[in-house]
Amino acid sequence: MITESLLLDNPDGQIPGAAANGGPIQSAITYEKIPTHIYADAKDASRAVAQEIAELIRQKQRENKPCVLGLATGSSPKTVYAELIRMHREEGLSFKNVVSFNLDEYFPMEPNSLQSYWRFMREQLFDHVDIEDGNYHVPDGTLQADKVGEFSKQYEAAIEAAGGLDFQLLGIGGNGHIGFNEPGSLINSHTRLMMLDNSTRAAASVDFGGLPKTPRKAITMGVASILGARRVVLLAWGERKAPVIRGAVEGLVTELNPASYLQTHPNALFVIDAAAASELTRMKTPWLVDSVEWDNKMKKKAVTYLSLALGKPILKLTDRDYNDNGMSDLLAQYGQSYDINIDVFNQLQHTITGWPGGKPNADDTNRPERALPAKKRCLIFSPHPDDDIISMGGTFQRLRDQGHEVHVGYQTSGNIAVADDEALRFADYVVDFNSKFGINSPEATRIFQDAAQSLRDKKDSEMDTAEVRYVKGLIRMGEAKSTCRFVGIPVENAHFLNMPFYETGTVAKKPLSEEDIKITMALIEEIKPHQIYAAGDLADPHGTHKVCLDAILESVRRLKHKNFMKDCWVWLYRGAWAEWDIHEIEMAVPMSPDQVMKKRLGIFKHQSQKDGVVYQGTDSREFWQRAEERNGATAGLYNKLGLAEYEAMEAFVRWRF
């Protein structure tokens, strides 16, 4: 994927081809059937959309007319709403003439529930601006089922009475849904009660504490209701949305991807970040769309793509292969295919190393890491208490086995991912332990009793008590320590940061704060590492991994003037769901079958995350299965390109500051 490496090499977040002011990437487009603006990151994109909404509000104010907005929920529009609030506070943007209608609401759903879209809109926007009471509308999740039909007609009538939607803001589901119009929804559908697709419920289960607690239905505006808006803007962030974005933008209009219906709208726009755009033709194979600058990165991207697309090892590619697949310009610039093949093959070969900390007493000219110092201080940042072993467990073990001083910074407690019955089991164990050994601890008994009562009485709309969250945090801390012992590093080398942004007790987190950054900086200054490993999830602006990464990168920027930082390299790994694209990888650490098995056993130390994870997402496999599939697939790609065959590989990209 072109996006991540470009962002890594451009600390300002500017992608080549994007406007200097952070605007969208421009290109000669021949494949896209919907206007699509691609931004370096979600923040730039959100600011642009917020500016359009603000200008529309102001225009309607000058005309003395209401501005009728269709609004969306979910993670995608949060940054847009935050920018609108900023403009209200700092630029005097008034919402007194705004009338809003939200797309959807879960059914059944109480308005004050933690997962309610009514509550979401109040917390994310309405409570912070001067919109008039009664001017914002959200479908009613408290209705009796037999009343929803009449309510839906009234909702449509209210939109029409307000003058119709001037602007409709949308997100997009992983299956292409807009609103809750799931695959199969017809283009002429209107507001109605909808059965949710299993993939939608699985994605939403993060907010509900598991799939069994996730609603099966929702009230949603229909496709025709959405298409009736005079302007429609769809937002999408992150590589997980890339395949469905490509289908909607470049594919056929089909009910199997409801977002594709926007191809029929005369004034629709997709606003996406570079990660969500990664499967679009102009991003994946830009040489097929427009002339490109054939620098080394583009050459490597094109040659690896061609090799995999044709199913031929790199060293077997011919001049005709290049010419027949739109890469004649590359041949013209670099000469015959033989020379290009050898160059790219060697670059890939040089990324492979069994010495992630550098190989002592060896020529490191073509190695990804320095030979010196021979024994390095390595700091692995783990956003959750198991990301270290899941994402880079083999490398973690190698660093330790090869004599480096390894530390792990566990950035968050991960407490919300522990099931209630697991917390009760551990609290009960403490009480029984004290009783067995004659330890009189009324406080422990009280905590258990309070926790048990709280969990029995807790409604889905309520968060855990502080005591329950602490118990859950202790469970995950113990599992992380167990992993460190398993790998062989001292438990005192495990540092639990408990970053404040995470400790809300809910899936929704606070923004990154100065306190979070200072905590991160303090650990880096304490360890003075030669290597920093961090979770390089650059896409989702609201995900825990992204917030943790932001804290690390900002800390490194602030500390880079320190002498010890001049000899510090930052390596980024990916999570359990995706891997760096093959042309981006700068260090690939191979694993034997025995090492893969040892990594699996290390993952097993996190017992609270086995056999039914609270936040499973759309992937039903356990984390060890996801990790092994991902690492095996990376090794498989190297083999398909004509390099040595390994059981598995962990991959890294270097961030240069």
Side-chain angles (χ1 to χ4, degrees), residues 9 220-221 224 262 273 337 353 395 450 466 476 490 508 526 565 643:
D9 289 339
T220 183
M221 282 191 201
L262 294 175
D273 68 358
S337 58
T353 181
T395 304
D450 289 351
R476 301 218 64 186
E526 177 188 344
M565 288 299 292
L643 289 102

Side-chain angles (χ1 to χ4, degrees), residues 451-481:
Q453 189 65 40
S454 171
L455 291 169
R456 280 195 294 267
D457 297 343
K458 187 180 72 172
K459 299 178 181 178
D460 291 343
S461 61
E462 296 175 341
M463 68 177 68
D464 287 331
T465 63
E467 289 84 359
V468 170
R469 294 201 301 273
Y470 187 69
V471 169
K472 291 182 175 182
L474 286 176
I475 292 171
R476 301 218 64 186
M477 180 187 295
E479 292 170 345
K481 289 180 179 179

Side-chain angles (χ1 to χ4, degrees), residues 202-498:
S205 67
V206 172
D207 297 324
F208 288 90
L211 192 61
K213 298 180 181 180
T214 305
R216 297 180 178 274
K217 300 178 183 179
I219 301 173
T220 183
M221 282 191 201
V223 177
S225 313
I226 292 168
L227 296 178
R230 287 177 277 278
R231 170 70 160 167
V232 179
V233 174
L234 183 146
L235 310 174
W237 322 133
E239 61 273 359
R240 295 186 199 176
K241 298 293 178 69
V244 75
I245 287 292
R246 179 173 185 174
V249 171
E250 297 185 358
L252 298 174
V253 176
T254 170
E255 71 278 6
L256 300 180
N257 185 343
S260 68
Y261 287 135
L262 294 175
Q263 293 182 25
T264 69
H265 195 281
N267 193 20
L269 173 69
F270 278 34
V271 176
I272 60 181
D273 68 358
S278 60
E279 290 295 320
L280 293 179
T281 301
R282 64 162 143 154
M283 298 294 282
K284 193 174 185 69
T285 53
W287 52 89
L288 299 179
V289 175
D290 204 351
S291 59
V292 299
E293 179 183 351
W294 286 110
D295 58 14
N296 187 63
K297 285 189 176 181
M298 188 64 73
K299 177 175 66 172
K300 189 176 177 184
K301 175 185 177 73
V303 173
T304 53
Y305 170 83
L306 182 63
S307 173
L308 294 172
L310 297 182
K312 297 175 66 173
I314 288 174
L315 296 179
K316 289 187 177 182
L317 295 174
T318 66
D319 287 358
R320 182 171 181 176
D321 292 330
Y322 282 76
N323 285 323
D324 288 351
N325 289 277
M327 294 164 58
S328 58
D329 288 352
L330 178 58
L331 282 178
Q333 181 169 332
Y334 286 97
Q336 61 181 335
S337 58
Y338 176 84
D339 296 325
I340 299 172
N341 296 346
I342 289 288
D343 181 31
V344 173
F345 181 89
N346 285 338
Q347 289 188 54
L348 291 170
Q349 182 70 50
H350 294 156
T351 66
I352 302 172
T353 181
W355 298 83
K359 187 173 183 178
N361 305 314
D363 179 5
D364 59 10
T365 304
N366 292 317
R367 292 182 176 276
E369 248 296 353
R370 306 146 291 170
L372 299 175
K375 302 301 181 184
K376 294 181 174 66
R377 289 184 300 277
C378 307
L379 174 55
I380 300 171
F381 278 106
S382 183
H384 300 97
D386 54 357
D387 287 314
D388 53 341
I389 192 70
I390 290 172
S391 298
M392 54 170 292
T395 304
F396 187 177
Q397 187 71 58
R398 283 244 178 133
L399 290 169
R400 185 270 172 198
D401 290 346
Q402 291 168 1
H404 301 288
E405 179 185 326
V406 183
H407 296 257
V408 185
Y410 295 104
Q411 294 174 274
T412 71
S413 67
N415 54 21
I416 66 167
V418 177
D420 291 348
D421 60 347
E422 190 80 356
L424 277 173
R425 183 169 70 89
F426 272 79
D428 198 12
Y429 169 81
V430 171
V431 174
D432 290 344
F433 180 91
N434 290 344
S435 175
K436 177 68 175 177
F437 293 98
I439 302 172
N440 183 19
S441 180
E443 185 66 10
T445 302
R446 182 195 64 78
I447 290 173
F448 168 70
Q449 291 173 341
D450 289 351
Q453 189 65 40
S454 171
L455 291 169
R456 280 195 294 267
D457 297 343
K458 187 180 72 172
K459 299 178 181 178
D460 291 343
S461 61
E462 296 175 341
M463 68 177 68
D464 287 331
T465 63
E467 289 84 359
V468 170
R469 294 201 301 273
Y470 187 69
V471 169
K472 291 182 175 182
L474 286 176
I475 292 171
R476 301 218 64 186
M477 180 187 295
E479 292 170 345
K481 289 180 179 179
S482 180
T483 295
C484 290
R485 283 190 289 266
F486 178 79
V487 171
I489 70 168
V491 170
E492 55 266 28
N493 285 15
H495 308 268
F496 297 92
L497 306 185
N498 292 319

